[in-house]
């Protein structure tokens, strides 16, 4: 109970965290999947429960007050402890219910995860496993909402994501590389679409490029590492002799479009090894255009169920690249 013996709704605490992260009532309400008026009432109800204003609404974006800044880390610690207590209680009640909960990006759920998991199962009894395959942004949301224990995704040391900013523990499992590829002009031939031609300003028309959309982690990396192609300024992009003609969340869809000759796509080598071997896709540029990336595993900061902690310990002991390809 708070001031005036008002009850506290835990949903208000999650709403507080969402607004503290975004600073925008509309975006935070959308992230929490509730209407903005109801979201605003929750924030006001929490402030009434605490007894002070937690946000400065005159600031844009909305900023935490001094009280809000003090409240935030204590609340995060409390919610983490509550989640840990819930997991331990469930595990004590029924050990079999302590499933391993993974969120994995679409491409890694198809290419890396099955073999990597098989390698772990040869050394550890994992028990029930639940996996959610989604975009990188959605996987981040699941981790930040404490709905999964682990997130499997691509990452780059110079392009931090929300899990890095929130200081989630991370292990590098292996390495990958994003290769600019195109369908060949003919079997065994040169690339139908070449970035080298665009770079030399010899093309009669811009080279078509297939891009990742905003929720994609690979897209976030490409926009940071290849600003000359994926920058926000479309005029600058066209001046480089390339034009983005298609955008999608999933590397698998971009791969299909590249195979159809629709343009150049930066695809994970782990996804297109067979196509490169058989010549269905070929390099569309020199190695200078490649973008090295890491395959990463993030975990929750709070203590996990015994099976999840055992998996994390085992992965820590394995050198990067040992299995999974």
């Amino acid at each position: 109970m708070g001031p005036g013996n008002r009850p506290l709704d835990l949903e208000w605490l999650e709403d507080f965290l969402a607004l503290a992260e975004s600073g925008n009532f509309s975006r935070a309400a959308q992230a929490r999947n509730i209407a903005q008026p109801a979201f605003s009432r929750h924030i006001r109800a929490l402030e009434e429960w605490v007894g002070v204003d937690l946000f400065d609404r005159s600031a844009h974006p909305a900023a935490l007050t001094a009280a809000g800044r003090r409240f935030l880390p204590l609340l995060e610690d409390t919610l983490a402890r509550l989640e840990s207590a819930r997991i331990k209680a469930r595990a004590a009640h029924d050990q079999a219910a302590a499933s391993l909960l993974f969120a994995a990006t679409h491409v890694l759920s198809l290419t890396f995860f099955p073999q990597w998991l098989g390698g772990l199962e040869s050394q550890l009894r994992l028990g029930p496993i639940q996996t959610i395959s989604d975009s990188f942004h959605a996987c981040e949301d699941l981790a930040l909402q404490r709905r999964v224990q682990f997130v499997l995704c691509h990452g780059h040391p110079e392009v931090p994501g929300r899990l890095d900013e929130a200081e989630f523990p991370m292990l590098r499992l292996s390495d990958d590389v994003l290769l600019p590829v195109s369908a060949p002009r003919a079997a065994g031939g040169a690339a139908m679409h070449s970035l080298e031609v665009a770079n030399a300003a010899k093309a009669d028309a811009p080279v078509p490029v297939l891009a990742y959309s905003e929720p994609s982690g690979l897209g976030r990396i490409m926009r940071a590492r290849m600003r000359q192609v994926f920058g926000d300024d479309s005029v600058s992009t066209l001046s480089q002799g390339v034009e983005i003609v298609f955008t999608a969340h999933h590397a698998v869809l971009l791969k299909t479009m590249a195979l159809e000759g629709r343009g150049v796509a930066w695809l994970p080598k782990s996804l297109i090894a067979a196509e490169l071997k058989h010549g269905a896709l070929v390099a569309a540029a020199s190695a200078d255009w490649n973008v090295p990336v890491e395959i990463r595993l993030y975990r929750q900061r709070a203590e996990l169920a015994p099976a999840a902690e055992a998996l994390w310990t085992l992965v820590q002991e394995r050198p990067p690249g040992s299995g999974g390809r």
Side-chain angles (χ1 to χ4, degrees), residues 36-37 43 46 55 74-75 83 143-144 194 257 272 285 292 310 312:
Q36 184 175 337
I43 296 300
L46 177 61
F55 291 93
L74 298 174
L75 173 58
E83 177 65 11
L144 292 168
S194 172
M257 297 295 287
I272 58 173
W312 183 257

Side-chain angles (χ1 to χ4, degrees), residues 103-115 131-136 139 152-155 176-178 212 216-219 221 249-255 266-273 293-296 324-325:
T105 55
H106 289 288
V107 64
L108 289 179
S109 68
L110 295 172
T111 61
F112 183 87
F113 184 70
Q115 189 176 346
T131 306
I132 300 173
S133 177
D134 213 321
S135 69
F136 175 74
C139 289
L152 180 67
C153 61
H154 283 98
D176 208 343
V177 58
L178 302 178
Y212 296 96
S216 166
L218 296 179
I221 293 171
H249 289 353
H250 311 319
V252 174
L253 179 53
L254 296 186
K255 170 185 168 181
W266 271 260
L267 298 173
K269 186 177 181 180
S270 58
L271 177 65
I272 58 173
V293 291
E294 298 174 351
I295 296 176
R296 296 176 169 182
R325 285 290 179 86

Side-chain angles (χ1 to χ4, degrees), residues 59-78:
H60 298 284
L64 289 168
T65 62
R69 290 193 297 273
R70 178 59 177 162
F71 188 66
L72 176 60
L74 298 174
L75 173 58
E76 289 177 327
D77 181 67
T78 297

Side-chain angles (χ1 to χ4, degrees), residues 42-227:
H42 291 180
I43 296 300
R44 178 57 68 190
L46 177 61
E47 290 176 322
E48 290 175 358
W49 183 87
V50 176
V52 295
D53 287 342
L54 299 174
F55 291 93
D56 179 3
R57 291 162 174 76
S58 66
H60 298 284
L64 289 168
T65 62
R69 290 193 297 273
R70 178 59 177 162
F71 188 66
L72 176 60
L74 298 174
L75 173 58
E76 289 177 327
D77 181 67
T78 297
L79 290 177
R81 288 174 181 272
L82 282 172
E83 177 65 11
S84 179
R86 184 186 69 84
I87 291 175
K88 289 179 179 179
R90 289 178 59 185
H93 173 70
D94 185 358
Q95 185 64 36
S99 303
L100 293 175
L101 306 175
F102 288 89
T105 55
H106 289 288
V107 64
L108 289 179
S109 68
L110 295 172
T111 61
F112 183 87
F113 184 70
Q115 189 176 346
W116 173 76
L117 194 64
L120 294 178
E121 287 176 324
S122 67
Q123 303 177 60
L124 183 69
R125 182 178 178 82
L126 299 180
I129 298 169
Q130 299 180 39
T131 306
I132 300 173
S133 177
D134 213 321
S135 69
F136 175 74
H137 190 273
C139 289
E140 284 184 316
D141 282 342
L142 289 169
L144 292 168
Q145 295 165 11
R146 295 177 295 281
R147 293 170 57 190
V148 295
Q149 299 159 328
F150 301 104
V151 170
L152 180 67
C153 61
H154 283 98
H156 192 285
E158 298 179 21
V159 190
R162 288 186 291 164
L163 300 186
D164 299 300
E165 293 168 353
E167 299 182 347
F168 276 58
M170 183 273 290
L171 294 175
R172 179 173 65 87
L173 302 182
S174 190
D175 295 308
D176 208 343
V177 58
L178 302 178
L179 305 174
V181 295
S182 163
R185 293 186 178 278
M192 183 182 299
H193 306 288
S194 172
L195 291 170
E196 301 295 348
V197 172
N199 198 42
K202 296 178 181 178
D204 296 330
V207 174
V209 168
L210 312 173
Y212 296 96
S213 57
E214 287 289 333
S216 166
L218 296 179
R220 180 177 53 84
I221 293 171
M222 292 306 304
R223 286 188 294 275
R225 303 302 297 168
M226 286 285 170
R227 294 185 184 278

Side-chain angles (χ1 to χ4, degrees), residues 11-12 14-16 18 25-43:
E11 291 293 324
W12 304 346
E14 298 286 359
D15 294 341
F16 171 84
F25 277 77
S26 178
R27 287 199 301 270
Q30 185 176 16
R32 293 285 294 146
N33 197 30
I34 61 176
Q36 184 175 337
F39 181 87
S40 298
R41 287 195 298 271
H42 291 180
I43 296 300

